[in-house]
Amino acid sequence: MNTRTESADPAAAAQPRLPQPARRVCDLLRLLAGHELLGLPPGDIAKGLGVNPSWVSVTLPALEAETGFVERVPGANRWRLGVPLVRIATTVATNLNTARRQIDEISSRYSTPL
């Protein structure tokens, strides 16, 4: 058995692995969450992700231009989550709340004694 390519757990080996660049962008989005107002400076982002500052200086503007999922804080050298990404989260939250109301309504109808 080649230990470099095979896992002791066959189920774990069958799981698809997210490529490192995509994983890093996901980590970036998680890091920016909670900093919607003031954002974070590039140095803090690089430190928080454990990446080279050059990765931050290349990736953030490209991600902003291509997806809008991050944006520069006006008048500052800081970055935060962008409006399109927040809109996705808001849509999910709205849909979940609608579903919860529908479930609550059905549940209350079924819980009423005959």
Side-chain angles (χ1 to χ4, degrees):
M1 174 161 77
N2 183 345
T3 57
R4 293 171 67 112
T5 58
E6 295 180 27
S7 171
D9 179 6
Q15 293 292 326
R17 299 284 303 168
L18 187 63
Q20 184 61 30
R23 180 181 307 278
R24 192 171 288 150
V25 169
C26 291
D27 291 343
L28 166 67
L29 298 175
R30 279 195 226 39
L31 179 67
L32 291 176
H35 299 279
E36 290 79 18
L37 185 59
L38 299 177
L40 289 173
D44 288 359
I45 294 169
K47 186 176 179 182
L49 295 175
V51 299
N52 191 304
S54 65
W55 181 88
V56 173
S57 65
V58 169
T59 302
L60 290 174
L63 196 55
E64 178 182 39
E66 293 285 331
T67 66
F69 286 0
V70 299
E71 65 183 21
R72 194 180 312 257
V73 176
N77 185 24
R78 300 173 77 87
W79 291 84
R80 62 184 175 201
L81 294 177
V83 171
L85 186 63
V86 176
R87 284 183 176 159
I88 291 169
T90 301
T91 299
V92 170
T94 299
N95 291 340
L96 288 173
N97 286 333
T98 299
R100 180 172 304 284
R101 283 193 301 272
Q102 291 170 342
I103 290 169
D104 289 346
E105 177 190 330
I106 291 168
S107 178
S108 77
R109 287 193 338 225
Y110 280 108
S111 64
T112 304
L114 294 175

